Amino acid sequence: MNRQLLLGAEAVAQGAIDAGLSGVYAYPGTPSTEITEYIQRSKEARENGIRSSWSTNEKTAYEAALGMSYAGKRSLVCMKHVGLNVAADAFINSAITGVNGGLVLAVADDPSMHSSQNEQDSRVYGKFAMVPVLEPASQQELYDAMSHAFELSESVRLPVVVRMTTRLSHSRAGVERQATLEQNPLYAEYAPERFVLMPHNARRQYQHLLGLQSMLEELSESSFLNQPVEGHGPVGVIAFGIGYNYVMEARLAHGIDCRVLKIGQYPLPRAQVNELFDACDTVLVVEEGYPVYEELFRGYFGSSKIRGRMDGALPRAGELTTDLVAAALGAAAPASTAIPGIVVNRPPELCKGCGHRDMFDAINIVMQENEEHHVFSDIGCYTLGALPPYNAIHTCVDMGASITMAKGAADAGLRPAVAVLGDSTFAHSGMTGLLDAVNDRSPVTVIIADNDTTAMTGGQHSSASGSKIIDICRGLGVDEKHIRVIVPLKKNLQENIAVLREEFAYEGVSVVIAQRECIESAAKKKRRAAAPGQ
Amino acid sequence: MQKNIILAGVGGQGILSIAAVIDWAALNGGLEIRQAEVHGMSQRGGAVQSHLRIADHELYADLIALGTADLILSVEPLEALRYLPYLAPGGRVVTSLEPFVNMPGYPSMDEILAELGKTDRPVLVHSAELAREAGSARASNMVMLGAAARFTGIGPERLEEAIKALFGAKGQEIVDINIRAFRMGQQLSNP
């Protein structure tokens, strides 16, 4: 038996490797990180020279993947849903240029926001860009979808999106592999009429994209990812992505007999959808994410035939479960014990011994000396500084927003205006904001918590840390005297307080770099060094 | 055959090594597996759980439905209670009695024991003590797996095979400690 136990994310990675991948580009983000990590660990990927190191952000990743596709090779670009906001400019426009070698965007959405600031649905982006979207329902389907996605991308010469959600990405199952395909040869064509998006080319290319849509719909009709499931009765279900799993589970558990149309490739297969709607009096729309297609089916004037997230049959927000779908299909609620009252919440916390703890101790002490003590922060482990016992940060919006929001608040007159972000987040989207602050001479203090890694997602390589960060700040024009390095350790508390106090008082741009290795990375290094010769 | 198992603990306690052993044994036994786990922010000292489903037929959902778990296997006593809504009538709770206190309001052990006592014949394990006896405090996960082995639907010899396969790279001594820990746990729940 040739089955491997893979996370959904890993099935994407293995599927891509076996489909003749030449390179993966990504910035870490839960729940997408494990795709790239798997390729980085893969012996086959190394032997086949598949390029896999981390990019600085999702936009640079997407553009590099497009460049590799331009040169004729198959490329994969991976990100979490909010990462696609960062890459959106490149993504939308790559639908206009089209691709050469297959280009697949694997994007992992996080409904219920387990590790994210929103639960936006990437299928909307797929519709917006008018490119094919695949939404497999199982780990095996994810694996199989990858070679299909690359073939499809090359046949219609468009990027193809593979969308998954947290539950599938972070769940393991047995996956059977197919034979590995050869990589494409290098083949770069001069095609400025496609790739130079000046208005005259862009208009023609956009018409071409519009013209492809009916063909994309036809391809969906014959896709293995779209399948009707036999059943009877007046109620039918159209189940998207892993919504299908909960429907099938509810059917089994509660002996429900109903027609089901499983959707895993967009644009929708119109004939199959029509068939279901014609055969049923009521159609339950089960989508893991926004009610994107439910809204479309209902139309502006509504339809009493349709049930789903918009009429309360299913909750409007959050992940689906078998229980929610079963209830929507009329099954009785299961007998189940309540959580005892004594069970208190156990929120996540900064690791014991983490340098961020000492950094926040110092920040809190100095901030309390000021009348206003707002701290603008960002996305990373240090976001946990928002929770007790620190309660040290007051904003976390999007990658890099700490610096620019502090700048805007400083422009409004707020003093001190303090930003806290990590080394990887600074490289991702902090540098440009710092340049704005320098150009405007805005009185902000930017504290870069440099732990030499992208810690929250599990310790991936950071694009800029250590001396590189100092050089970047200097290069962006921050006054040398106001680039201060501190080491966040208990024994340095008084010294660190003094540095922060001075820089908070300075009427200009200052950067305080709190340099201390992530204790998780340090422990990992130690374990690796101690492991018997491997 | 179908087993729905909730593995519970605190981020960093290593419930995924228990999952890995059951997964390996199930995969090599030709069974279908779905095992959903938590990555990302909650891993930092927060409550974490894994939904593990094995069956000899096709499985669809990665998540266990409420009231259908055959087993809650927890490496921390309070965390065992957090997932009671998933427990099936007649399902069993196997939990370590070593509290991990990293938040305010942690209830008293008496209160926790009273709640555990309301479940059907709970298996309560002083896992740290047994692990140390087996040779390493770090083997307490395997003590817990041993104590829960008879509720997993997989034979103990298959689970031992999996332990050997997964810990093999760390040397024979580590394998022996973990097998010992597993067997000590097993004895606890064998009447």
Side-chain angles (χ1 to χ4, degrees), chain A residues 10 16 30 33 61-62 72 88 119 121 147 296 332 334 349 355 359 409 414 449 455 472 490 516 520:
Chain A
E10 296 173 340
T30 313
T33 313
Y62 196 97
E119 59 173 28
D121 188 323
S147 64
L296 190 96
E349 58 175 2
M359 174 186 73
L414 188 72
I472 289 170
K490 218 159 242 93
R516 195 176 136 199
E520 264 295 309

Side-chain angles (χ1 to χ4, degrees), chain A residues 8-67:
Chain A
E10 296 173 340
V12 169
Q14 189 65 60
I17 293 170
D18 293 347
L21 184 72
S22 293
V24 61
Y25 296 87
Y27 181 81
T30 313
S32 71
T33 313
E34 297 81 0
I35 306 171
T36 307
E37 286 186 322
Y38 184 90
I39 298 174
Q40 290 173 346
R41 278 197 316 268
S42 159
K43 193 164 154 260
E44 291 162 272
R46 254 196 319 278
E47 283 166 4
N48 295 320
I50 296 174
R51 179 270 165 228
S52 66
S53 52
W54 293 105
S55 302
T56 300
N57 66 37
E58 293 86 354
K59 180 174 179 285
T60 64
Y62 196 97
E63 290 154 353
L66 182 61

Side-chain angles (χ1 to χ4, degrees), chain B residues 107-174:
Chain B
S108 75
M109 210 52 206
D110 286 344
E111 288 173 295
I112 293 176
L113 287 172
E115 292 294 344
L116 287 168
K118 293 178 191 167
T119 67
D120 185 14
R121 291 163 292 156
V123 180
L124 310 175
V125 186
H126 290 284
S127 56
E129 202 181 300
L130 291 172
R132 274 192 299 273
E133 232 174 280
S136 162
R138 297 187 62 184
S140 74
N141 281 345
M142 291 305 113
V143 173
M144 293 312 303
L145 177 60
R150 58 197 295 243
F151 310 117
T152 62
I154 297 177
E157 61 296 331
R158 276 201 178 279
L159 292 170
E160 286 198 9
E161 237 178 273
I163 293 171
K164 284 177 196 156
L166 291 167
F167 290 95
K170 297 183 176 171
Q172 190 58 41
E173 196 193 335
I174 301 287

Side-chain angles (χ1 to χ4, degrees), chain A residues 354-374:
Chain A
C354 168
H356 295 339
R357 286 179 177 255
D358 295 296
M359 174 186 73
F360 283 128
D361 280 335
I363 292 174
N364 275 348
I365 290 170
V366 183
M367 277 318 232
Q368 290 316 315
E369 298 167 357
N370 294 281
E371 203 172 312
E372 296 281 1
H373 39 262
H374 301 267

Side-chain angles (χ1 to χ4, degrees), chain A residues 250-403:
Chain A
R251 267 171 44 125
L252 270 178
H254 299 276
I256 299 164
D257 184 14
C258 61
R259 283 185 184 81
V260 180
L261 176 59
K262 172 186 180 298
I263 299 291
Q265 181 167 334
Y266 311 79
L268 288 186
R270 193 174 286 272
Q272 290 179 47
V273 174
N274 286 344
E275 206 180 302
L276 179 78
F277 275 72
D278 289 346
C280 300
D281 298 338
T282 306
V283 175
L284 178 70
V285 187
V286 180
E287 297 177 82
E288 182 77 321
Y290 283 15
V292 181
Y293 289 90
E294 182 184 340
E295 194 171 5
L296 190 96
F297 295 144
R298 283 178 188 275
Y300 184 78
F301 296 102
S303 157
S304 56
K305 188 172 179 161
I306 292 160
R307 310 216 52 207
R309 286 191 185 267
M310 295 176 75
D311 66 348
L314 291 166
R316 174 61 181 79
E319 280 186 298
L320 297 173
T321 62
T322 299
D323 298 300
L324 291 170
V325 173
L329 287 169
S336 144
T337 322
I339 302 177
I342 59 164
V343 178
V344 283
N345 280 342
R346 194 191 297 267
E349 58 175 2
L350 288 168
C351 301
K352 302 270 182 282
C354 168
H356 295 339
R357 286 179 177 255
D358 295 296
M359 174 186 73
F360 283 128
D361 280 335
I363 292 174
N364 275 348
I365 290 170
V366 183
M367 277 318 232
Q368 290 316 315
E369 298 167 357
N370 294 281
E371 203 172 312
E372 296 281 1
H373 39 262
H374 301 267
V375 176
F376 299 89
S377 193
D378 230 298
I379 297 170
C381 278
Y382 46 89
T383 314
L384 293 171
L387 303 179
Y390 298 102
N391 303 310
I393 64 160
H394 309 103
T395 74
C396 162
V397 181
D398 66 82
M399 295 288 282
S402 55
I403 297 180

Side-chain angles (χ1 to χ4, degrees), chain A residues 437-449:
Chain A
V438 167
N439 288 342
D440 251 5
R441 293 192 182 82
S442 305
V444 295
T445 301
V446 176
I447 301 172
I448 303 177

Side-chain angles (χ1 to χ4, degrees), chain B:
Chain B
M1 184 283 245
Q2 178 178 314
K3 291 284 175 190
N4 290 335
I5 302 169
I6 301 263
L7 301 173
V10 180
Q13 281 194 309
I15 60 168
L16 293 184
S17 65
I18 300 179
V21 173
I22 303 178
D23 287 348
W24 193 97
L27 189 76
N28 285 279
L31 298 173
E32 290 296 315
I33 307 160
R34 289 296 184 103
Q35 185 236 314
E37 52 198 54
V38 177
H39 297 200
M41 193 177 251
S42 330
Q43 273 182 301
R44 304 261 171 271
V48 293
Q49 89 293 348
S50 173
H51 287 216
L52 203 168
R53 310 186 64 209
I54 49 183
D56 57 6
H57 53 80
E58 186 171 7
L59 287 168
Y60 293 100
D62 298 279
L63 294 179
I64 294 170
L66 294 174
T68 67
D70 302 288
L71 168 66
I72 293 175
L73 169 50
S74 181
V75 297
E76 206 278 348
L78 185 67
E79 293 309 316
L81 300 175
R82 197 180 300 282
Y83 305 100
L84 285 182
Y86 288 98
L87 195 62
R92 302 291 292 273
V93 175
V94 177
T95 183
S96 163
L97 290 175
E98 321 294 338
F100 188 105
V101 184
N102 65 341
M103 74 290 205
Y106 194 97
S108 75
M109 210 52 206
D110 286 344
E111 288 173 295
I112 293 176
L113 287 172
E115 292 294 344
L116 287 168
K118 293 178 191 167
T119 67
D120 185 14
R121 291 163 292 156
V123 180
L124 310 175
V125 186
H126 290 284
S127 56
E129 202 181 300
L130 291 172
R132 274 192 299 273
E133 232 174 280
S136 162
R138 297 187 62 184
S140 74
N141 281 345
M142 291 305 113
V143 173
M144 293 312 303
L145 177 60
R150 58 197 295 243
F151 310 117
T152 62
I154 297 177
E157 61 296 331
R158 276 201 178 279
L159 292 170
E160 286 198 9
E161 237 178 273
I163 293 171
K164 284 177 196 156
L166 291 167
F167 290 95
K170 297 183 176 171
Q172 190 58 41
E173 196 193 335
I174 301 287
V175 171
D176 291 344
I177 290 171
N178 281 288
I179 294 281
R180 244 189 335 262
F182 175 79
R183 289 184 182 165
M184 289 173 87
Q186 228 186 321
Q187 278 164 13
L188 280 182
S189 64
N190 278 338

